[in-house]
Amino acid sequence: MKQSRSLRAAALVAALMGSAALPAMAETPPNMLVIANRIDDIKTFDPAESFEFAGADVSRNVYEKLVNFDPLDLDAGFGPELAESWEISEDGTEITFTMAEGHVFASGNPVTAKDAEFSLRRAVILNKTPSFILTQFGFTPENVEETIVATDDSTLVIKLDQKYAVSFVLNCLTATIGGIVDMETAMANEVDGDMGAEWLRTNTAGSGPYKVVDWKPNESVLMDLNPNYGGEKPAMERVIVQHIQESATQRLQLERGDIDIARNLSPEDIASVKETDGLKVVDELKGRLMYFSANQKNEMLSDPKVLEALKWATDYEGMAGSFLNGQYTVHQAFLPLTFLGALQDKPYSFDLDKAKAALAESGFPDCGPIEISVREAQERIDIAQSLQNTWGQLGCEAELIVGTGAQTLDRYRAREHDIYLGAWGPDYPDPNTNAGTFAYNPDNSDEAGATGLLAWRNAWGIPEMSEETLAAVTENDTDTRREMYLAIQKEHQQISPFGIMFQQIEQHAMQENVQDFISGGATTAASYWVVTK
């Protein structure tokens, strides 16, 4: 199996390079970036719908936004991109953007405020999974014609339902859903009133450095330069991202020179790379959290004492010190380190006595069978097997339900899981990006369909905590806001159906000549256009 996938990946690069055979290749071309990554979670490239890790990487390089991050200076926060400036009304409820000149879509159409109006309205009207990032400001399909308005080709006005911290609003516009789409191209491909959604699922219409020219699901994504890109021409004229599941196969391809970057190596393979001449490893603290969550539709898993028992029966340090070594650090709160209000308390450790005592106090002292839904990725399966082992010592028989990234997400978003084991990354660098999904669920009904909210996915109705989360997002005093998030997280640790375990440290293995590959830190996604070799 591994041999077959390796050969398919090598053949892909060979074909794209016009080479009949790859074994003799010592390195990739100087103007081509070839990356091995797990991309089986990609469901669509449409910024109004895309809400997965690998899809966000593509969007970051294809779609520009009103405001965005400089990949070489992430600590500076957001800055102008398609909007050169903005003004805030006296009452704080209206933001007027002035569009920058010189931005052009891959089609050759200039970017205007009308495109920004169309894109933001479209995201609200389509109401796909990430739409809550915009609708939390009061935008609805019924009011977008009055609340998101391009007064001319260079001016966009957005009207909020109340005053928010301006940084919060602008941070939200850096999310994938903030990508500005070529209105003319999208509507030319509209079918049955979908505003181009079906076409944009597999095609792109952005003004960023690249455009997607080929996507083979679960195999590869190919991006070429946007010939009309208004910025400095990237050194990498072509980017190929290959789906290679196995760490050992990624390492082999890296050592052979078939790829430039391997993004999913195990600690053992990372150690091997560090000892190999011509290769290097770069560590980057990410905002991604690894967690398990329990569906509150399951009577046993809705028992607070059962949840407590599962949290005490998790071997956090054992996993972090063995098969996750160097790639995850123990973290037990929903805000990742580096975020305002991040809680560093770690109240749980592996303690079977406390776990057994909690289970004995529950309504299910014998524990019943549990299904753990997990994506087919080695470190996640390793974590799931560890939980299967330690929870088994409580008498909780756990079965692993393994699927692709798309399959496990579909099951999770349909609220059909028992336990979901997965990762969550921030959509924008404001604490509400995680508070607004881990600790917010104003409508727990099935009809709400709030698939972007993790609390909803787990059927956890929390009206009081939802109000606390809303209060925190409107607080303008930074110190007070920080304390509010600390308090919410402390409560969340004790009562929620979430077992937050780790924060990721991504270890990028790459050829020694690769410079400035940035996967986005804790705030955004990968940037290919600044890479040089």
Side-chain angles (χ1 to χ4, degrees):
M1 181 66 171
K2 292 181 180 179
Q3 176 74 3
S4 173
R5 290 189 181 184
S6 177
L7 290 174
R8 284 203 304 271
L12 170 68
V13 179
L16 292 170
M17 291 172 56
S19 169
L22 194 65
M25 184 179 72
E27 60 183 21
T28 60
N31 63 347
M32 179 189 293
L33 185 67
V34 185
I35 302 169
N37 192 20
R38 295 174 188 146
I39 59 172
D40 61 337
D41 62 340
I42 296 178
K43 299 170 71 68
T44 176
F45 295 132
D46 187 345
E49 184 174 7
S50 178
F51 205 52
E52 294 76 37
F53 292 122
D57 285 342
V58 175
S59 184
R60 167 84 165 139
N61 292 274
V62 168
Y63 290 101
E64 293 184 299
K65 299 158 188 171
L66 292 172
V67 293
N68 217 334
F69 298 96
D70 178 351
L72 300 180
D73 191 11
L74 292 175
D75 291 340
F78 61 79
E81 191 168 61
L82 291 178
E84 67 176 16
S85 63
W86 49 89
E87 294 181 358
I88 315 302
S89 65
E90 228 176 276
D91 65 0
T93 65
E94 199 168 287
I95 305 177
T96 301
F97 295 93
T98 299
M99 304 296 287
E101 296 181 356
H103 294 270
V104 182
F105 291 111
S107 66
N109 296 326
V111 181
T112 72
K114 296 290 186 183
D115 295 293
E117 173 194 82
F118 168 78
S119 300
L120 299 180
R121 285 183 179 181
R122 177 178 178 274
V124 173
I125 292 168
L126 291 178
N127 196 31
K128 300 296 185 179
T129 298
S131 64
F132 71 93
I133 297 172
L134 297 179
T135 58
Q136 64 186 327
F137 299 113
F139 303 130
T140 68
E142 292 74 29
N143 72 20
V144 288
E145 289 190 7
E146 291 78 41
T147 56
I148 303 174
V149 180
T151 58
D152 54 43
D153 282 349
S154 61
T155 309
L156 177 74
V157 180
I158 64 173
K159 302 175 184 180
L160 314 172
D161 60 345
Q162 64 181 52
K163 182 179 180 179
Y164 296 92
V166 176
S167 60
F168 169 51
V169 181
L170 297 182
N171 275 325
C172 286
L173 293 177
T174 70
T176 296
I177 199 170
I180 303 305
V181 175
D182 182 346
M183 175 175 61
E184 183 177 329
T185 298
M187 294 306 290
N189 290 280
E190 183 182 39
V191 177
D192 297 329
D194 73 347
M195 304 181 82
E198 181 59 28
W199 187 82
L200 285 169
R201 189 181 71 82
T202 57
N203 298 275
T204 57
S207 59
Y210 297 99
K211 59 180 180 178
V212 171
V213 295
D214 186 64
W215 172 40
K216 294 181 173 61
N218 302 328
E219 289 189 21
S220 64
V221 176
L222 169 62
M223 287 172 274
D224 279 349
L225 285 182
N226 166 9
N228 300 304
Y229 177 53
E232 184 177 343
K233 181 181 177 181
M236 299 297 103
E237 298 181 15
R238 171 166 284 186
V239 178
I240 305 166
V241 185
Q242 302 172 6
H243 176 64
I244 302 179
Q245 187 81 335
E246 302 89 352
S247 171
T249 306
Q250 288 195 17
R251 177 179 58 81
L252 174 63
Q253 298 239 0
L254 187 69
E255 291 173 346
R256 286 174 37 160
D258 298 348
I259 62 175
D260 296 300
I261 301 171
R263 295 191 61 184
N264 309 111
L265 297 192
S266 68
E268 293 79 8
D269 285 321
I270 286 289
S272 175
V273 167
K274 288 180 176 179
E275 299 299 319
T276 303
D277 290 342
L279 302 180
K280 64 181 178 181
V281 175
V282 178
D283 291 355
E284 190 174 349
L285 180 66
K286 303 287 289 183
R288 188 177 304 183
L289 303 176
M290 192 72 73
Y291 71 96
F292 68 81
S293 60
N295 191 342
Q296 298 303 277
K297 289 189 173 187
N298 182 310
E299 184 182 3
M300 182 183 75
L301 295 176
S302 68
D303 188 313
K305 283 297 180 179
V306 172
L307 293 173
E308 181 184 344
L310 296 180
K311 292 175 185 178
W312 283 115
T314 298
D315 192 6
Y316 308 93
E317 295 292 347
M319 288 187 275
S322 56
F323 56 83
L324 298 178
N325 187 34
Q327 300 189 338
Y328 285 89
T329 182
V330 176
H331 186 73
Q332 296 181 353
F334 63 68
L335 286 181
L337 299 177
T338 75
F339 273 62
L340 176 72
L343 178 66
Q344 298 189 46
D345 294 357
K346 292 179 276 193
Y348 298 102
S349 59
F350 181 46
D351 191 323
L352 272 180
D353 289 337
K354 289 183 178 179
K356 290 177 179 178
L359 192 64
E361 293 177 26
S362 77
F364 302 86
D366 295 329
C367 199
I370 300 172
E371 291 185 347
I372 302 176
S373 182
V374 58
R375 177 181 174 181
E376 186 184 8
Q378 191 57 54
E379 78 280 356
R380 299 193 194 190
I381 291 175
D382 288 342
I383 293 170
Q385 290 175 336
S386 176
L387 295 178
Q388 186 180 42
N389 174 36
T390 55
W391 291 358
Q393 294 176 49
L394 284 178
C396 301
E397 181 182 345
E399 178 187 0
L400 306 190
I401 308 299
V402 181
T404 65
Q407 288 169 340
T408 55
L409 281 171
D410 285 345
R411 181 181 176 89
Y412 190 28
R413 291 169 178 170
R415 311 212 284 191
E416 295 174 349
H417 62 293
D418 283 348
I419 294 285
Y420 174 80
L421 173 63
W424 183 262
D427 294 298
Y428 48 89
D430 184 275
N432 191 66
T433 186
N434 279 14
T437 186
F438 279 97
Y440 181 71
N441 183 18
D443 183 352
N444 195 39
S445 66
D446 288 340
E447 293 73 27
T451 58
L453 306 182
L454 298 187
W456 182 88
R457 291 186 195 179
N458 289 283
W460 188 40
I462 42 171
E464 290 185 8
M465 187 173 284
S466 295
E467 288 299 318
E468 293 170 1
T469 299
L470 284 177
V473 85
T474 59
E475 175 57 54
N476 280 302
D477 183 82
T478 300
D479 291 336
T480 301
R481 194 170 183 227
R482 179 185 294 108
E483 292 303 315
M484 294 172 78
Y485 284 117
L486 288 171
I488 293 171
Q489 287 171 97
K490 288 179 180 179
E491 181 183 10
H492 193 273
Q493 284 179 327
Q494 299 302 318
I495 69 170
S496 81
F498 294 92
I500 299 168
M501 300 176 285
F502 309 108
Q503 182 172 345
Q504 184 186 28
I505 302 170
E506 186 168 338
Q507 294 186 296
H508 315 302
M510 62 188 75
Q511 303 295 335
E512 199 169 44
N513 66 339
V514 175
Q515 301 295 323
D516 293 332
F517 172 70
I518 310 295
S519 70
T523 57
T524 186
S527 304
Y528 306 139
W529 71 92
V530 294
V531 175
T532 60
K533 293 199 290 185

